[in-house]
Amino acid sequence: MPPPLIVLRDVARIYGAGEAEVRALDGVNLTIRQGEFVAIMGPSGSGKSTAMNIIGCLDRPTAGQFLFQGIEVQGLDQDRRALLRRHCLGFVFQGFNLLARSSALENVELPLIYKGQPRALREARARAALEKVGLQGRESADPSQLSGGQQQRVAIARALAGDPMLILADEPTGNLDSHRSHEIMLLLQQLNREEGITIVMVTHEEDIAAYAGRLLVFTDGKLTRDSAQPERR
Amino acid sequence: MLWETLRLAVTTIIRNKLRSFLTVLGVVIGVAAVIAMVTIGQGSSAQVSASVEALGTNVLIVRPGSRGFGPPGGGEAAPKFTLKDAEALRTLPQIAYLAPINSGGQTVVYGNANAATQVYGSTADYLRVQNWPLLSGRNFAEGEETSGAAVCLIGATVQAKLFGNADPLGETIRVKSVACNVIGTLAAKGAGSFGQDQDDLVLMPIKTVQRRLEGNKDVTSISIALRKSVTSADGIKAVQDLLRERRRIAIGQADNFSVTDMKEITSMLSGVNSVLTGLLSSVAAVSLLVGGIGIMNIMLVSVTERTREIGIRLAVGASAGQVLQQFLVEAIVLSLLGGIIGIGAGLGLAYVGSIYMAIPFAPSGSVVALAFGFSALVGVVFGYFPARRAAKLDPIEALRHQ
């Protein structure tokens, strides 16, 4: 059996030292398997964003072990973690984080440039990714010419283009109305089910978390709830 | 990857046209200044060599007073030469032609027109020493020289000022109080080694000038053309020996006159020229440095402005090295662009300047290459610090940046 996609063992993330010490994460144990759709909830300051940053290889735990497919990430330097992000991860942010004044296609091509893929292949894959999120025909549009929902679709296409095992979504519907939110969540569900991509999503809305098959709740840096749930359609 | 980075840099620069232009303006001005200075400097060096060559390399100038160029200096006034000295020198076998000169500034008048000019009293041999052809008319006749007749030859500038397009031959002009018949006109020579107008002169027999204009019997200098077979060192030696004897200078005593050959003048002039060019170029190089600082400044602002973009790039898998490369390449492309524009502008300036100053346009490939390389270096040096700052950004902080 292959190792689980993500394993956190006694992970702590501590900021500052001495009196000013803040334990953003404190002894978290967690296993996520390939193909899961996980929602992370919790009040602000509970450590959910810190957990996301660690799983996303943007940050490293102060103590404990973080294994990605059996690789110990806490020992990797910045460039090795960049390699992991490049080849295994995709990010979707609340604020979309698209490059302004670059077309949808150019935005989606971005991770492929760093993968060193030739231009023709890049363009084909970016077009395919945009088609998957239902944006065929809008390839040359600037982010400013797209609605919020469409911008988030571009961001999802960008995450998808790199052919990731894991998509990390940080409040992906935070800037969208309920109708668009529903569409985005259905898209993520579809990617999870049809492409087998593992999705870890941070949200503070329960009805958004309900689209996921597993719910984690963080309180004061600790994992306080971990339960399976039926996915909302 | 490098190709992609280059494409990205060019795209970014084109997107911010005005800002990019203002950013590189410092480098443009610096490079243009260096190129223009050096090109004009080389042009005027070429001009000096050419004008000295036109004089003939075997020409000596003898002046009273201590050794040196320019007005005769020294503590006690050295005795002037006389026409007898000139006659004595003429007997030397090394000398082909010799022209005694007595010159001074005068106002010349014809009708309503007048001009301030230099009046040279000399002999028919003056034009032979100077290798100076006549445009029209004739040279002085021997009788005119010995009798001190009121005849003159005029340079192209004087001709234009007094006569315009009219024919001056046979007309009478007034030099100070002397009415003087124009018997010939001189071919135009253009600007001299110092940029002075060589055509702004009136030539008269030396006795006429001595008696009727200056009221003395002085010879202020003597121009000598040596025979072709004689080296200038031998010629100088012969002239010195004779003059020391005539002026009764004891052995061991210093000369109270100077003999200068054209080679000396050439090297002195081009020495002055290269010092000036070097000075001006180093001032220009400082402005190139300032231009580099301008690029660094804008790149730093750009890194701050684009923090979020950097965060996105890091999140999708760019390494710190790739971010560094992106900003470094952008700075280098910017400063190379400035260098190219500056080279064009500098050559243009030098071209216009050389037409205006009537010197040859002498662009030098090595200077252009040097300026190009230097502007690339400016990009590397001043682009590195901002690029490193971009590469060191923490992706989490960068993504959070508003």
Side-chain angles (χ1 to χ4, degrees):
Chain A
M1 203 174 97
L5 189 65
I6 290 164
V7 176
L8 274 68
R9 272 188 210 131
D10 279 328
V11 163
R13 181 68 176 96
I14 302 163
Y15 296 102
E19 294 275 300
E21 186 180 283
V22 177
R23 290 181 167 262
L25 283 182
D26 193 3
V28 173
N29 286 289
L30 173 65
T31 302
I32 296 173
R33 300 202 163 272
Q34 183 73 49
E36 284 194 86
F37 187 167
V38 182
I40 300 178
M41 292 194 73
S44 36
S46 61
K48 58 183 193 301
S49 290
T50 308
M52 273 293 267
N53 287 338
I54 287 177
I55 294 171
C57 303
L58 292 167
D59 198 2
R60 283 190 290 188
T62 316
Q65 262 190 319
F66 166 40
L67 298 141
F68 186 89
Q69 284 198 303
I71 304 164
E72 293 199 29
V73 178
Q74 77 270 13
L76 300 181
D77 63 18
Q78 222 192 353
D79 282 350
R80 296 242 165 83
R81 281 183 283 131
L83 273 173
L84 262 182
R85 290 199 294 273
R86 192 185 300 171
H87 292 285
C88 305
L89 303 183
F91 286 89
V92 177
F93 304 95
Q94 177 180 359
F96 317 136
N97 274 342
L98 299 176
L99 296 182
R101 292 192 287 181
S102 300
S103 70
L105 194 70
E106 285 168 341
N107 266 289
V108 176
E109 276 186 47
L110 191 62
L112 304 176
I113 290 177
Y114 292 111
K115 276 191 159 183
Q117 293 186 348
R119 201 166 166 190
L121 179 62
R122 245 166 38 209
E123 211 182 293
R125 298 192 72 156
R127 281 182 193 282
L130 280 170
E131 199 178 323
K132 237 177 239 173
V133 300
L135 280 180
Q136 59 271 41
R138 303 307 312 265
E139 286 87 354
S140 54
D142 262 18
S144 59
Q145 297 168 314
L146 297 170
S147 72
Q150 288 175 319
Q151 288 188 51
Q152 195 60 299
R153 282 168 190 273
V154 174
I156 291 172
R158 180 178 66 193
L160 211 54
D163 206 7
M165 300 175 200
L166 172 64
I167 287 182
L168 291 150
D170 193 355
E171 306 222 21
T173 60
N175 286 8
L176 302 176
D177 62 31
S178 61
H179 179 64
R180 306 259 179 260
S181 297
H182 180 65
E183 286 178 0
I184 291 295
M185 291 317 297
L186 288 183
L187 177 59
L188 288 176
Q189 271 188 340
Q190 183 198 341
L191 293 175
N192 173 247
R193 210 168 295 136
E194 290 175 9
E195 315 268 329
I197 300 170
T198 312
I199 296 177
V200 176
M201 170 182 75
V202 165
T203 180
H204 56 259
E205 293 169 78
E206 280 181 22
D207 53 337
I208 295 298
Y211 287 92
R214 182 180 173 190
L215 177 66
L216 306 175
V217 177
F218 280 80
T219 317
D220 293 334
K222 290 184 163 60
L223 183 58
T224 51
R225 184 181 152 189
D226 182 354
S227 58
Q229 61 184 25
E231 289 185 16
R232 173 184 164 186
R233 296 287 168 115
Chain B
M1 190 64 217
L2 187 63
W3 175 243
E4 289 301 328
T5 318
L6 210 60
R7 233 166 51 100
L8 179 66
V10 171
T11 313
T12 311
I13 289 165
I14 290 172
R15 250 176 219 157
N16 304 294
K17 277 190 202 75
L18 181 64
R19 180 159 109 176
S20 303
F21 175 71
L22 291 176
T23 306
V24 303
L25 198 57
V27 173
V28 170
I29 291 173
V31 169
V34 171
I35 294 274
M37 291 301 158
V38 174
T39 307
I40 288 177
Q42 284 176 336
S44 77
S45 283
Q47 158 82 359
V48 167
S49 316
S51 66
V52 168
E53 227 147 81
L55 272 181
T57 43
N58 250 8
V59 171
L60 304 180
I61 294 173
V62 186
R63 293 165 188 275
S66 56
R67 191 168 186 78
F69 197 62
E76 77 257 46
K80 297 266 188 344
F81 297 118
T82 61
L83 284 175
K84 288 210 171 77
D85 292 318
E87 288 310 316
L89 282 171
R90 206 192 294 279
T91 61
L92 286 174
Q94 289 89 348
I95 290 175
Y97 303 109
L98 175 147
I101 297 164
N102 182 333
S103 67
Q106 299 291 356
T107 305
V108 293
V109 182
Y110 173 75
N112 294 327
N114 67 78
T117 187
Q118 200 72 16
V119 174
Y120 280 71
S122 193
T123 61
D125 276 348
Y126 182 78
L127 296 185
R128 295 188 189 108
V129 172
Q130 298 278 335
N131 194 17
W132 198 342
L134 281 169
L135 190 66
S136 67
R138 59 174 180 85
N139 206 336
F140 304 129
E142 211 181 321
E144 288 165 343
E145 285 178 7
T146 49
S147 67
V151 291
C152 61
L153 303 169
I154 58 176
T157 303
V158 174
Q159 180 184 352
K161 276 184 185 165
L162 294 189
F163 295 96
N165 293 325
D167 183 9
L169 284 186
E171 301 292 330
T172 301
I173 62 172
R174 196 155 50 77
V175 180
K176 203 172 172 190
S177 56
V178 181
C180 183
N181 191 15
V182 178
I183 58 167
T185 60
L186 300 170
K189 252 191 162 177
S193 311
F194 291 114
Q196 82 276 25
D197 184 357
Q198 300 184 102
D199 297 317
D200 190 8
L201 88 166
V202 171
L203 207 58
M204 296 169 77
I206 186 163
K207 282 193 174 151
T208 318
V209 172
Q210 284 175 335
R211 284 182 201 150
R212 301 170 77 169
L213 292 180
E214 302 288 343
N216 58 30
K217 293 202 160 186
D218 294 344
V219 170
T220 49
S221 66
I222 301 171
S223 282
I224 296 170
L226 296 172
R227 287 189 196 283
K228 286 233 157 33
S229 54
V230 177
T231 65
S232 64
D234 288 347
I236 289 171
K237 178 82 171 50
V239 170
Q240 277 174 336
D241 287 348
L242 184 73
L243 285 176
R244 281 178 74 91
E245 193 182 305
R246 285 188 62 82
R247 291 163 84 88
R248 296 182 213 289
I249 298 167
I251 294 166
Q253 224 177 327
D255 292 351
N256 61 2
F257 60 93
S258 70
V259 185
T260 319
D261 74 340
M262 282 301 149
K263 252 182 235 138
E264 219 168 310
I265 296 172
T266 315
S267 66
M268 189 152 47
L269 281 179
S270 46
V272 169
N273 221 320
S274 62
V275 167
L276 264 178
T277 305
L279 259 174
L280 291 172
S281 303
S282 50
V283 171
V286 170
S287 67
L288 198 56
L289 194 75
V290 175
I293 295 172
I295 286 191
M296 177 158 77
N297 189 14
I298 295 292
M299 289 307 291
L300 278 173
V301 172
S302 171
V303 167
T304 309
E305 259 182 17
R306 287 153 70 187
T307 299
R308 209 178 165 79
E309 176 196 324
I310 295 164
I312 296 168
R313 290 179 184 277
L314 289 170
V316 302
S319 65
Q322 285 167 327
V323 172
L324 182 101
Q325 194 187 44
Q326 180 190 338
F327 281 87
L328 196 56
V329 166
E330 199 174 311
I332 294 170
V333 169
L334 266 176
S335 70
L336 277 183
L337 196 72
I340 291 168
I341 297 173
I343 287 168
L347 288 179
L349 266 176
Y351 183 69
V352 171
S354 54
I355 287 175
Y356 186 71
M357 293 160 70
I359 58 172
F361 176 58
S364 139
S366 63
V367 171
V368 168
L370 199 72
F372 192 76
F374 204 76
S375 50
L377 189 72
V378 164
V380 173
V381 170
F382 293 100
Y384 182 73
F385 177 60
R388 209 186 51 156
R389 176 175 277 198
K392 280 196 165 174
L393 284 174
D394 174 34
I396 301 166
E397 293 293 325
L399 279 169
R400 218 176 277 156
H401 190 266
Q402 288 307 312

